[in-house]
Amino acid sequence: MEPDLFTAAAEERRERDPGASPLAVRMRPRVLEEVVGQQHLLRPGSPLRRLVGESGGGPAGPSSVILWGPPGTGKTTLAYVVSKATNKRFVELSAITAGVKEVRTVIESAKRQSGGFQRETVLFLDEIHRFSKAQQDSLLPAVENRWVTLIAATTENPY
């Protein structure tokens, strides 16, 4: 969604005063080099390194992925790190509270951002398994046309 005046002010305050954020947010890795564990995902040539581009610039282009794992394993953090490493705007939605309307709003905003400001968008969709098939289908045009890079997270086996 397009940030409003209050959201932008809150984000600016968090950047100026990191102590205002919860400890878990302050401790969250901000770059790929700060990620600990899962070394097979961090070594050169790994899928995660290819996703952000070996040099950090993201030359691999937009690749959408689904991250699967138990709660608290860093799925949201990885999505955030990928967006920062590729210098893309990070938009987070939860499938528990969002619907097709919110998804379409993010997609329209992403199209405007990429056209007007030359800035691509990473759409992080948490709990994607909660979306119905019709809701998931609303994402298809945006992913296929590369209007957004979808990074979805689920605790349910995607198979």
Side-chain angles (χ1 to χ4, degrees), residues 1 5 7-9 20 29 33 47-48 59 75-76 87 95 101-102 111 120 123 137-138 143 147 149 153 155-156:
M1 290 200 239
L5 179 62
T7 304
E33 289 70 28
L48 188 56
K75 298 178 294 293
T76 304
N87 197 30
K101 178 183 175 195
E102 289 81 7
K111 287 197 284 190
E120 296 178 25
L123 169 56
D137 286 346
S138 72
V143 172
W147 297 327
T149 300
T155 55
E156 300 290 323

Side-chain angles (χ1 to χ4, degrees), residues 15-69:
E15 288 176 11
R16 279 188 283 121
D17 182 16
S21 299
L23 180 61
V25 172
R26 287 182 279 167
M27 297 298 294
R28 180 175 283 168
R30 286 172 176 65
V31 294
L32 206 51
E33 289 70 28
E34 292 179 356
V35 175
V36 177
Q38 305 293 329
Q39 294 306 315
H40 64 287
L41 295 176
L42 299 170
R43 70 175 175 247
S46 68
L48 188 56
R49 290 278 181 187
R50 286 190 312 232
L51 182 62
V52 301
E54 292 292 336
S55 63
S63 297
S64 295
V65 295
I66 296 178
L67 303 174
W68 167 49

